[in-house]
Amino acid sequence: MSHFRCLPIPTETGKRWRATGVDDFGNTLVSMASDGAAPCRHCLREAKPGDAMLLGSYHMPGPIGIYWTPSPIFVHAEPCAAYDQMDHVPETVRARLVSVRAYDANQMCLYDLGQAVDGIDVDPSLARAISDPRTAFVNIHTAKPGCMLCRVQRG
Ligand SMILES: [Zn+2]
């Protein structure tokens, strides 16, 4: 597989959410205790049951244009360390059914590279998508609700 990095949301986004109590669209953040199925998009770890989480709508950096969407995301209510690993799939992806979505440099969806798979077995789907020369970046979403888990770029 090509070298790759799974990228968290910007640290600045989490800081701003915690400081202001509003998300990227002016919605009041929902504060809640994790039921054990809340993936933090900054540390890319599964929240422990009872962890204080913030739920809000995130302005995704890409794709822009026709395929752009916002995404509901959880972030730890307390500061957490940004995920920063090369060639590693975070536990938030491993823990659930996921949708792998590849986009080209023109921000267009490469439908033939898209797959919904169990996250524990995501490696072949991710390798296929990230290694394709047409691919500029990949987004991994939850397959059922469709929320963004992380962006993936070649390392
Ligand atoms: Zn976190």
Side-chain angles (χ1 to χ4, degrees), residues 3 49 70 134 139 147 152:
H3 290 294
R134 297 170 296 163
N139 285 339
C147 307
V152 189

Side-chain angles (χ1 to χ4, degrees), residues 18 40-45 53 75-76 78 80-81:
R18 293 179 193 112
C40 177
R41 276 28 173 242
H42 185 246
C43 59
L44 301 186
R45 303 183 72 87
M53 306 301 290
V75 179
H76 277 116
E78 297 297 323
C80 56

